[in-house]
PDB file of all heavy atoms in Angstrom:
ATOM      1  N   ASP X 194      -0.696  13.831  -5.952  1.00  0.00           N
ATOM      2  CA  ASP X 194      -1.416  14.206  -7.166  1.00  0.00           C
ATOM      3  C   ASP X 194      -1.141  15.686  -7.447  1.00  0.00           C
ATOM      4  O   ASP X 194      -1.985  16.541  -7.177  1.00  0.00           O
ATOM      5  CB  ASP X 194      -2.919  13.966  -6.896  1.00  0.00           C
ATOM      6  CG  ASP X 194      -3.722  13.679  -8.149  1.00  0.00           C
ATOM      7  OD1 ASP X 194      -3.128  13.324  -9.176  1.00  0.00           O
ATOM      8  OD2 ASP X 194      -4.970  13.794  -8.084  1.00  0.00           O
ATOM      9  N   THR X 214       1.430  11.542  -9.460  1.00  0.00           N
ATOM     10  CA  THR X 214       0.555  11.503 -10.636  1.00  0.00           C
ATOM     11  C   THR X 214       0.245  12.941 -11.064  1.00  0.00           C
ATOM     12  O   THR X 214       0.124  13.835 -10.228  1.00  0.00           O
ATOM     13  CB  THR X 214      -0.779  10.774 -10.331  1.00  0.00           C
ATOM     14  OG1 THR X 214      -1.367  11.327  -9.150  1.00  0.00           O
ATOM     15  CG2 THR X 214      -0.570   9.290 -10.126  1.00  0.00           C
ATOM     16  N   THR X 215       0.125  13.122 -12.372  1.00  0.00           N
ATOM     17  CA  THR X 215      -0.278  14.421 -12.911  1.00  0.00           C
ATOM     18  C   THR X 215      -1.349  14.158 -13.974  1.00  0.00           C
ATOM     19  O   THR X 215      -1.612  13.005 -14.324  1.00  0.00           O
ATOM     20  CB  THR X 215       0.901  15.161 -13.582  1.00  0.00           C
ATOM     21  OG1 THR X 215       1.360  14.378 -14.698  1.00  0.00           O
ATOM     22  CG2 THR X 215       2.047  15.398 -12.620  1.00  0.00           C
ATOM     23  N   ASN X 216      -1.946  15.224 -14.440  1.00  0.00           N
ATOM     24  CA  ASN X 216      -2.798  15.152 -15.626  1.00  0.00           C
ATOM     25  C   ASN X 216      -2.770  16.541 -16.251  1.00  0.00           C
ATOM     26  O   ASN X 216      -2.236  17.483 -15.637  1.00  0.00           O
ATOM     27  CB  ASN X 216      -4.218  14.656 -15.271  1.00  0.00           C
ATOM     28  CG  ASN X 216      -4.955  15.564 -14.307  1.00  0.00           C
ATOM     29  OD1 ASN X 216      -4.901  16.789 -14.433  1.00  0.00           O
ATOM     30  ND2 ASN X 216      -5.644  14.986 -13.328  1.00  0.00           N
ATOM     31  N   ILE X 219      -4.074  19.319 -13.935  1.00  0.00           N
ATOM     32  CA  ILE X 219      -3.146  19.630 -12.833  1.00  0.00           C
ATOM     33  C   ILE X 219      -1.999  20.493 -13.360  1.00  0.00           C
ATOM     34  O   ILE X 219      -1.609  21.485 -12.743  1.00  0.00           O
ATOM     35  CB  ILE X 219      -2.607  18.314 -12.200  1.00  0.00           C
ATOM     36  CG1 ILE X 219      -3.691  17.652 -11.359  1.00  0.00           C
ATOM     37  CG2 ILE X 219      -1.352  18.573 -11.358  1.00  0.00           C
ATOM     38  CD1 ILE X 219      -3.323  16.280 -10.786  1.00  0.00           C
ATOM     39  N   LYS X 277      -0.331   8.065 -18.871  1.00  0.00           N
ATOM     40  CA  LYS X 277      -1.768   7.971 -18.601  1.00  0.00           C
ATOM     41  C   LYS X 277      -2.565   8.025 -19.904  1.00  0.00           C
ATOM     42  O   LYS X 277      -2.382   8.950 -20.713  1.00  0.00           O
ATOM     43  CB  LYS X 277      -2.208   9.148 -17.724  1.00  0.00           C
ATOM     44  CG  LYS X 277      -2.128   8.871 -16.236  1.00  0.00           C
ATOM     45  CD  LYS X 277      -2.611  10.103 -15.506  1.00  0.00           C
ATOM     46  CE  LYS X 277      -3.082   9.804 -14.115  1.00  0.00           C
ATOM     47  NZ  LYS X 277      -3.499  11.036 -13.433  1.00  0.00           N
ATOM     48  N   ASN X 305      -0.859   3.896 -17.149  1.00  0.00           N
ATOM     49  CA  ASN X 305      -1.806   4.160 -16.075  1.00  0.00           C
ATOM     50  C   ASN X 305      -3.129   4.506 -16.772  1.00  0.00           C
ATOM     51  O   ASN X 305      -3.280   5.593 -17.324  1.00  0.00           O
ATOM     52  CB  ASN X 305      -1.288   5.337 -15.228  1.00  0.00           C
ATOM     53  CG  ASN X 305      -2.238   5.746 -14.115  1.00  0.00           C
ATOM     54  OD1 ASN X 305      -3.375   5.309 -14.067  1.00  0.00           O
ATOM     55  ND2 ASN X 305      -1.756   6.625 -13.236  1.00  0.00           N
ATOM     56  N   THR X 307      -6.743   5.725 -17.009  1.00  0.00           N
ATOM     57  CA  THR X 307      -7.279   6.746 -16.104  1.00  0.00           C
ATOM     58  C   THR X 307      -8.699   7.201 -16.457  1.00  0.00           C
ATOM     59  O   THR X 307      -9.282   6.737 -17.432  1.00  0.00           O
ATOM     60  CB  THR X 307      -6.290   7.948 -16.064  1.00  0.00           C
ATOM     61  OG1 THR X 307      -6.676   8.838 -15.012  1.00  0.00           O
ATOM     62  CG2 THR X 307      -6.243   8.697 -17.380  1.00  0.00           C
ATOM     63  N   SER X 327      -6.624   3.584 -12.670  1.00  0.00           N
ATOM     64  CA  SER X 327      -6.982   4.706 -11.794  1.00  0.00           C
ATOM     65  C   SER X 327      -8.478   4.943 -11.763  1.00  0.00           C
ATOM     66  O   SER X 327      -9.099   5.239 -12.792  1.00  0.00           O
ATOM     67  CB  SER X 327      -6.289   5.991 -12.270  1.00  0.00           C
ATOM     68  OG  SER X 327      -4.930   5.974 -11.912  1.00  0.00           O
ATOM     69  N   PHE X 329     -11.479   7.256  -9.935  1.00  0.00           N
ATOM     70  CA  PHE X 329     -11.592   8.577  -9.320  1.00  0.00           C
ATOM     71  C   PHE X 329     -12.630   8.543  -8.189  1.00  0.00           C
ATOM     72  O   PHE X 329     -13.803   8.881  -8.381  1.00  0.00           O
ATOM     73  CB  PHE X 329     -11.986   9.620 -10.381  1.00  0.00           C
ATOM     74  CG  PHE X 329     -10.858  10.008 -11.317  1.00  0.00           C
ATOM     75  CD1 PHE X 329      -9.704   9.243 -11.408  1.00  0.00           C
ATOM     76  CD2 PHE X 329     -10.953  11.144 -12.113  1.00  0.00           C
ATOM     77  CE1 PHE X 329      -8.657   9.594 -12.271  1.00  0.00           C
ATOM     78  CE2 PHE X 329      -9.916  11.514 -12.979  1.00  0.00           C
ATOM     79  CZ  PHE X 329      -8.766  10.736 -13.051  1.00  0.00           C
ATOM     80  N   ARG X 332     -15.052  11.502  -7.409  1.00  0.00           N
ATOM     81  CA  ARG X 332     -16.094  11.697  -8.439  1.00  0.00           C
ATOM     82  C   ARG X 332     -17.142  10.587  -8.347  1.00  0.00           C
ATOM     83  O   ARG X 332     -18.329  10.832  -8.590  1.00  0.00           O
ATOM     84  CB  ARG X 332     -15.462  11.735  -9.826  1.00  0.00           C
ATOM     85  CG  ARG X 332     -14.588  12.972 -10.013  1.00  0.00           C
ATOM     86  CD  ARG X 332     -14.122  13.116 -11.446  1.00  0.00           C
ATOM     87  NE  ARG X 332     -13.091  14.145 -11.525  1.00  0.00           N
ATOM     88  CZ  ARG X 332     -13.028  15.066 -12.477  1.00  0.00           C
ATOM     89  NH1 ARG X 332     -13.922  15.096 -13.436  1.00  0.00           N
ATOM     90  NH2 ARG X 332     -12.064  15.958 -12.473  1.00  0.00           N
ATOM     91  N   ILE X 361      -4.954   2.495  -8.412  1.00  0.00           N
ATOM     92  CA  ILE X 361      -4.701   3.833  -7.851  1.00  0.00           C
ATOM     93  C   ILE X 361      -6.067   4.490  -7.674  1.00  0.00           C
ATOM     94  O   ILE X 361      -6.848   4.548  -8.619  1.00  0.00           O
ATOM     95  CB  ILE X 361      -3.864   4.713  -8.802  1.00  0.00           C
ATOM     96  CG1 ILE X 361      -2.505   4.077  -9.108  1.00  0.00           C
ATOM     97  CG2 ILE X 361      -3.667   6.111  -8.193  1.00  0.00           C
ATOM     98  CD1 ILE X 361      -1.605   4.918 -10.031  1.00  0.00           C
ATOM     99  N   GLY X 363      -7.793   8.043  -6.980  1.00  0.00           N
ATOM    100  CA  GLY X 363      -7.510   9.475  -6.966  1.00  0.00           C
ATOM    101  C   GLY X 363      -8.769  10.262  -6.706  1.00  0.00           C
ATOM    102  O   GLY X 363      -9.790   9.718  -6.298  1.00  0.00           O
ATOM    103  N   SER X 364      -8.665  11.597  -6.950  1.00  0.00           N
ATOM    104  CA  SER X 364      -9.820  12.466  -6.779  1.00  0.00           C
ATOM    105  C   SER X 364     -10.200  12.579  -5.300  1.00  0.00           C
ATOM    106  O   SER X 364     -11.366  12.498  -4.947  1.00  0.00           O
ATOM    107  CB  SER X 364     -10.976  11.905  -7.621  1.00  0.00           C
ATOM    108  OG  SER X 364     -12.085  12.713  -7.645  1.00  0.00           O
ATOM    109  N   THR X 365      -9.166  12.767  -4.451  1.00  0.00           N
ATOM    110  CA  THR X 365      -9.426  12.903  -3.013  1.00  0.00           C
ATOM    111  C   THR X 365     -10.234  14.180  -2.748  1.00  0.00           C
ATOM    112  O   THR X 365      -9.985  15.222  -3.350  1.00  0.00           O
ATOM    113  CB  THR X 365      -8.110  12.946  -2.203  1.00  0.00           C
ATOM    114  OG1 THR X 365      -7.175  13.807  -2.867  1.00  0.00           O
ATOM    115  CG2 THR X 365      -7.493  11.581  -2.046  1.00  0.00           C
ATOM    116  N   ARG X 366     -11.183  14.056  -1.837  1.00  0.00           N
ATOM    117  CA  ARG X 366     -12.021  15.207  -1.478  1.00  0.00           C
ATOM    118  C   ARG X 366     -11.967  15.507   0.010  1.00  0.00           C
ATOM    119  O   ARG X 366     -12.287  16.595   0.442  1.00  0.00           O
ATOM    120  CB  ARG X 366     -13.485  14.943  -1.868  1.00  0.00           C
ATOM    121  CG  ARG X 366     -13.735  14.811  -3.364  1.00  0.00           C
ATOM    122  CD  ARG X 366     -13.652  16.154  -4.076  1.00  0.00           C
ATOM    123  NE  ARG X 366     -13.945  16.010  -5.497  1.00  0.00           N
ATOM    124  CZ  ARG X 366     -13.033  15.829  -6.451  1.00  0.00           C
ATOM    125  NH1 ARG X 366     -11.736  15.781  -6.136  1.00  0.00           N
ATOM    126  NH2 ARG X 366     -13.384  15.699  -7.716  1.00  0.00           N
ATOM    127  N   THR X 383      -3.672   8.343  -4.554  1.00  0.00           N
ATOM    128  CA  THR X 383      -2.929   9.539  -4.962  1.00  0.00           C
ATOM    129  C   THR X 383      -3.636  10.766  -4.389  1.00  0.00           C
ATOM    130  O   THR X 383      -4.827  10.975  -4.608  1.00  0.00           O
ATOM    131  CB  THR X 383      -2.692   9.604  -6.485  1.00  0.00           C
ATOM    132  OG1 THR X 383      -1.792  10.687  -6.746  1.00  0.00           O
ATOM    133  CG2 THR X 383      -3.969   9.772  -7.305  1.00  0.00           C
TER     134      THR X 383
HETATM  135  C1  E4P P 736      -5.830  10.914 -10.620  1.00  0.00           C
HETATM  136  O1  E4P P 736      -4.846  10.353 -11.070  1.00  0.00           O
HETATM  137  C2  E4P P 736      -6.269  12.230 -11.058  1.00  0.00           C
HETATM  138  O2  E4P P 736      -5.107  13.004 -11.352  1.00  0.00           O
HETATM  139  C3  E4P P 736      -7.017  13.032 -10.058  1.00  0.00           C
HETATM  140  O3  E4P P 736      -6.997  12.424  -8.786  1.00  0.00           O
HETATM  141  C4  E4P P 736      -8.359  13.512 -10.491  1.00  0.00           C
HETATM  142  O4  E4P P 736      -8.948  14.197  -9.442  1.00  0.00           O
HETATM  143  P1  E4P P 736     -10.114  15.280  -9.574  1.00  0.00           P
HETATM  144  O5  E4P P 736     -11.417  14.566  -9.546  1.00  0.00           O
HETATM  145  O6  E4P P 736      -9.908  16.127  -8.357  1.00  0.00           O
HETATM  146  O7  E4P P 736      -9.878  16.025 -10.855  1.00  0.00           O
END
Side-chain angles (χ1 to χ4, degrees):
D194 207 18
T214 51
T215 63
N216 61 42
I219 286 175
K277 270 181 158 178
N305 177 349
T307 190
S327 284
F329 285 15
R332 293 188 191 223
I361 301 181
S364 186
T365 44
R366 295 287 182 266
T383 189

